[in-house]
Amino acid sequence: MLLVMICSVSADRLPNLQPEGQHISPEVITGVSKTPGSNGTGNVAIAPQVTVKEDTSVISLILGIMPVFGDNEENPLALKKISSAEGLELYFINQTRANEEKLAKEKAINSQKKDYTFGITDPGKVNYNFESQAVAGSLQNGGSRHPVMEPENQVFSLDSATGNSQSRSGTDVASTYSTTNIQVTGVDEPDFIKNDGKYIYLISKNTLTIVDAYPAQNAKIVSQIPVEGDVSDIFLNGDRLVIFTGKNGQNLIKLAGSVAPVPSSEYQTHALVYSIIDRAHPELLRDISIPGKYQNARMIDGDIYVLNQESRTAGDYHMPVLFDGKKEIAIRNVRAPQVPPENYVFYSLSSFNIHNDAQPTAESFLLGRDSTLYVSPGNVYIAYKNQGTNPGSMPAQQKSIVHRFSIKDGKISYKSTGIFPGYLLNQFSLDEFEGNLRVATTIDVTGNNGGRSNGVYVLDPDMIVIGSLDHLASGEKIYSARFMGDLLYLVTFKTMDPLFVIDLSNPKNPGILGELKIPGYSDYLHPYDETHLIGIGKDTTPNQWGVSATGIKIALFDVSNLTNPLEVGHVIIGEKGSDSEVLHDHRAFLLDQRNNVMAIPIKEITNTPTPGSQYNGSYIPSIWQGTYVYGIDPKNGFTEKGKITKETITMNNYYEQGSAVKRSLLMDSILYTISPQNIMATDINDISRPLANITW
């Protein structure tokens, strides 16, 4: 495993990189960059130029094809605002002709420019020097510039807890309780389970179950509400709860050329808003219907933002519509690039408030199918792979597109679009800091100079690339990333796990401060405090082909000296085939420093030699399911406090991904471990003795 810390350093300490990403901004639409690259060759890095004639005829105005903020003819990512079904139909018809013209022009352009790069320097040139002490600068002795790192499992006290404590009946309410493990402070993430320090609310088997969980000795189910459709996540805020579910529905839609609306069956996501003042009898207050399948959501101060994806059949050009109950709310515009992405789908970004009845709002747009959502308190970023948008015009290099939408009090406003090299791993590959977006990507380049590498890119609010660090960990790919203030901790892997420490304090010149190479890799990184980091992943062993993954590895890193990160200690759980829900879903991780508790759901596989077998290496696997509980000492590492057994099974569940236990949460000193079938309650001061087992 390689742990890398990345930070920004002064311009005199690293090569002068000149990233040249395409960008579109509503405020200032800039032209395609033609600035000479920074590789010293003098070659001009020219982004592809695609001319799609802007149709300003009367018929276009009537049909609702309107340029947004002055379309840039040279940039195929510039957005148009389409405001009618007829406009959508004309948009797609025009693309057939435009694509033919574009390919012809690109052939002519490419015949004149034989060599160029896109936002990165020569593939053989390394933009950093591990040996240079100058890179570390004043940080050589450990540095003093550590960001404040807050554990993302927020632990609320009774006085500061989300919601109204008076509504939770009785006086038996936990003084502190944990919440969902989130990425950004103040931006709540949905999950199938929530709690408020007394009640646990969870979705299982298409049923909302509310459990009076505290005190644990008296735990009981107080209500169960069946929910139709494909039930996914919930949000909880005070005395309101939202359930997301999806199903096919019948609507009247206005097709292009149709005089009157026609019936249509389409998949819809329903946001069901409940009052839970009376936990025994939750009351459905509102049903908001959003076109398409639920992808993800975030909640900020009661305002919920929902991202949906809608696939349509060829020839379906109707404008998207929301429903608040039976009230129809038209999404008046669809934003689309000049050239549709390959395998495009319709997206909608909708918002509503969980506490009031204000009308929902939404933006609709065309994006690529594979999207990643990142949300800060003030912006929504949606990134996706740029596949086939510019056929024939670029070298065989992976790129991603990102759109920025500002958000405030439920209002959504499109702001800018950018492009950067490589593909993202997940939401932790993006981060906003002091107005800039930072991204970490893996890049596969084909051709004579092909290969795999990784990069870090900084984009300003206009989504212009202003800083880059290329050719990280050649031949490897990113397994996990964690941005913390002006630092990035990055794990790449092929045969060893490098942990990089990257300095982003100067966004125009990111640079590597230090690295640590150890066996294994981390799939998830979590801050412990300002100078320590937890990594959870897999251990590895060498084999004739390279390495193979074995048991679960949990490591504690000391990053007090940014130029020399160290592994304080680690534990290995199980053997090959062992797994944890944390490796696939960060919401399964629980860390409560007040109680010095870290809980990890585990599927542990151990192999026992087969008695009397004549075959060497024959064994019988044993599978244990449950939760490992640890204490953490920053100087000495992990101390096992105990194990909470869910079940011991045989080969039936050997190949199932993840673990039977999906989540853990704390109310005071009571640890609740949750599976799809039950909740177990245990006092962390005596883990050997379960207090309750609630089943349904």
Side-chain angles (χ1 to χ4, degrees), residues 117-140:
T117 60
F118 177 74
I120 61 174
T121 56
D122 189 294
K125 182 178 178 180
V126 178
N127 293 327
Y128 53 84
N129 182 0
F130 285 118
E131 305 301 326
S132 175
Q133 298 300 313
V135 173
S138 62
L139 301 174
Q140 182 67 30

Side-chain angles (χ1 to χ4, degrees), residues 518-536:
I518 54 176
Y521 57 85
S522 296
D523 288 291
Y524 176 66
L525 295 173
H526 192 93
Y528 176 76
D529 60 21
E530 295 182 6
T531 57
H532 292 85
L533 186 71
I534 300 168
I536 304 170

Side-chain angles (χ1 to χ4, degrees), residues 145-267:
R145 190 190 40 75
H146 287 280
V148 176
M149 302 180 187
E150 300 181 6
E152 272 65 25
N153 279 107
Q154 301 180 63
V155 179
F156 290 99
S157 67
L158 181 60
D159 294 334
S160 63
T162 301
N164 185 346
S165 62
Q166 281 81 9
S167 68
R168 293 173 287 177
S169 60
T171 59
D172 292 327
V173 180
S175 59
T176 62
Y177 62 94
S178 64
T179 62
T180 303
N181 182 26
I182 59 175
Q183 180 183 8
V184 179
T185 301
V187 181
D188 194 14
E189 300 185 23
D191 202 356
F192 73 87
I193 183 168
K194 297 286 182 177
N195 88 96
D196 58 13
K198 180 168 179 59
Y199 296 95
I200 293 175
Y201 312 82
L202 64 92
I203 292 292
S204 180
K205 301 177 182 177
N206 278 44
T207 299
L208 170 66
T209 299
I210 301 179
V211 178
D212 186 346
Y214 190 91
Q217 294 86 341
N218 303 323
K220 61 181 179 180
I221 295 174
V222 296
S223 62
Q224 290 188 292
I225 309 296
V227 183
E228 294 182 359
D230 303 319
V231 187
S232 49
D233 290 329
I234 63 175
F235 274 121
L236 175 68
N237 192 294
D239 292 325
R240 296 291 175 91
L241 181 141
V242 173
I243 303 173
F244 294 103
T245 184
K247 57 184 178 179
N248 287 316
Q250 292 286 335
N251 281 327
L252 293 175
I253 61 174
K254 177 67 165 61
L255 297 176
S258 175
V259 176
V262 298
S264 173
S265 176
E266 60 181 4
Y267 194 91

Side-chain angles (χ1 to χ4, degrees), residues 63 84-90 93 253-262 312 315-319:
L63 293 178
S84 71
E86 289 77 12
L88 270 177
E89 182 178 22
L90 181 62
I93 291 174
I253 61 174
K254 177 67 165 61
L255 297 176
S258 175
V259 176
V262 298
R312 296 189 181 182
D316 184 354
Y317 305 120
H318 75 272
M319 297 296 287

